[in-house]
Structure formats: C-alpha cells, structure tokens
Amino acid sequence: AQKVTQAQTEISVVEKEDVTLDCVYETRDTTYYLFWYKQPPSGELVFLIRRNSFDEQNEISGRYSWNFQKSTSSFNFTITASQVVDSAVYFCALSGPGFNDMRFGAGTRLTVKP
Amino acid sequence: DAGVTQSPTHLIKTRGQQVTLRCSPKSGHDTVSWYQQALGQGPQFIFQYYEEEERQRGNFPDRFSGHQFPNYSSELNVNALLLGDSALYLCASSPGTAYNSPLHFGNGTRLTVT
C-alpha cells in the first residue's frame, strides 16, 4: 500500500515554542518523493518542500527544518520559534512511479497562541 | 504571474443536481489535477488531465467527470449530487505529469449539497 500517516491530529503551542510534526509513509517503490504542504484558512495548499528517496540529507530553511529517515520511513517537519502566522493545517504527501496520484496524509492542525 | 484560479468560491446545490467547477492553471503549467477534500481530511485524488485527456483517475464514481480545454484550463463536473459530495474541491496544476513535480493549488471551491 502507498499511504501517509500523520498521527497528530491537532497540536497547540505557545508562540516561540519549537514544534515537530510527524509523518510516516509506506510505499513499495524504491524511488519516490515526499512533500510538505501548508494549508492556511484561505484553503490553498502551499508547497513547502520536496525530498527524493535518495537524498536523506536534512534540510533547514529559516525557521523550518526537515528530518528524513528511510530506516523509519519518516519525514518529520520542525518549526523553530513558532509564530502565530504558522497556524495552519500541514500535510505530508507521497508520490512515486507505482501509483497514479499524490497521496496525502490526514493533516495536522497547528495552532500557535500568542 | 497568476497562480491557479478556481471558480466559483462557494456553491450550494440540492441533492440530485449537477455542478460544474472551473480551474485555470498557473501560467506555464499544462497538467491539471482535481482533488476532493472532506472536512478534517487530506485531499483525495479524483483525476488528472493532460493534453485534453484524462490520464489518471482515483477511486471516484463515473458521476465525476472532467474536461480540459486547449488553453489548459479544466472543468470538473459532478452529476446526481449526493450529500456526501459536500467538500472542498481543489484544483492543482503542474508542468507535466511527472510524479516528482510539486503541485500548485488553487483556493478551492467549497461545495455544499443540501
């Protein structure tokens, strides 16, 4: 099966706290891509990052960082020093040659309180 | 540079009616995918259009159909609406059908079936 699991339905933190959003995936493909998207209240999914299955190097972009571990089939997303504007639903997604669409997890709703 | 645009923003229909949703892809993109996002869930793939043909299809009944025009814009049609069709319908575009391309999403059309 090709699927993405985001076990955390909702997370609430206070501004300036660090927060990690978990993502676990399953796929039979040896080559695949993982993505993170942010969905603010406006509804539009905003692309944040793409990672291919052969690149396990962690990535940092400003306050955002991503930890990809093939050994545990996880692609976790950390926001450092969270801000109110980070409040949104975050989706992890998976795509590969063995299936015909981008598979999304159920999402994690992050609320950052001032 | 215009992103993905969808119309209408909101729509209320009665069970049994038919509905047409419209999407214009991001400039330079020739592939359009449609997703259904029920409340509190991740987007579910409906189908993908490329070169005016349906290339891929998710697990949706034939009541869901679509079309792509020569200018790459697309329509999603749903016949014989059911209460369960109430959802946010998202259009996404990409430059080609490659599975490693990030999808660029519109703000969606919120469909309510009463």
Side-chain angles (χ1 to χ4, degrees), chain B residues 5-103:
Chain B
T5 58
Q6 291 186 244
S7 63
T9 306
H10 294 86
L11 207 50
I12 300 175
K13 289 286 188 178
T14 304
R15 191 171 42 184
Q17 286 187 317
Q18 179 264 345
V19 68
T20 297
L21 311 181
R22 296 176 175 82
C23 170
S24 291
K26 179 180 169 65
S27 177
H29 289 184
D30 57 7
T31 302
V32 173
S33 301
W34 286 92
Y35 283 79
Q36 180 195 66
Q37 186 180 13
L39 201 59
Q41 298 183 23
Q44 299 292 316
F45 175 69
I46 303 175
F47 43 53
Q48 180 189 74
Y49 275 84
Y50 173 69
E51 292 187 332
E52 302 181 50
E53 290 188 6
E54 182 182 295
R55 297 288 175 161
Q56 310 281 1
R57 189 177 182 93
N59 189 25
F60 278 80
D62 291 344
R63 298 187 298 109
F64 289 77
S65 63
H67 189 76
Q68 186 179 35
F69 300 93
N71 66 352
Y72 309 124
S73 66
S74 176
E75 288 182 350
L76 163 65
N77 301 293
V78 187
N79 294 322
L81 284 167
L82 303 174
L83 296 179
D85 294 331
S86 295
L88 180 67
Y89 288 85
L90 293 163
C91 172
S93 71
S94 56
T97 60
Y99 65 88
N100 61 346
S101 290
L103 299 177

Side-chain angles (χ1 to χ4, degrees), chain A residues 16-70:
Chain A
K16 298 184 182 176
E17 284 186 32
D18 298 348
V19 57
T20 295
L21 310 182
D22 298 332
C23 172
V24 174
Y25 63 92
E26 292 179 37
T27 180
R28 297 188 198 93
D29 291 340
T30 54
T31 300
Y32 52 88
Y33 279 78
L34 294 161
F35 303 80
W36 274 95
Y37 286 84
K38 173 182 180 180
Q39 187 176 40
S42 61
E44 173 186 2
L45 273 80
V46 177
F47 166 68
L48 296 177
I49 191 172
R50 174 184 62 181
R51 172 69 70 224
N52 75 55
S53 52
F54 296 106
D55 182 3
E56 289 194 68
Q57 188 172 15
N58 292 332
E59 180 157 340
I60 298 174
S61 176
R63 297 184 297 105
Y64 296 171
S65 62
W66 290 269
N67 184 328
F68 175 36
Q69 292 193 335
K70 282 181 77 170

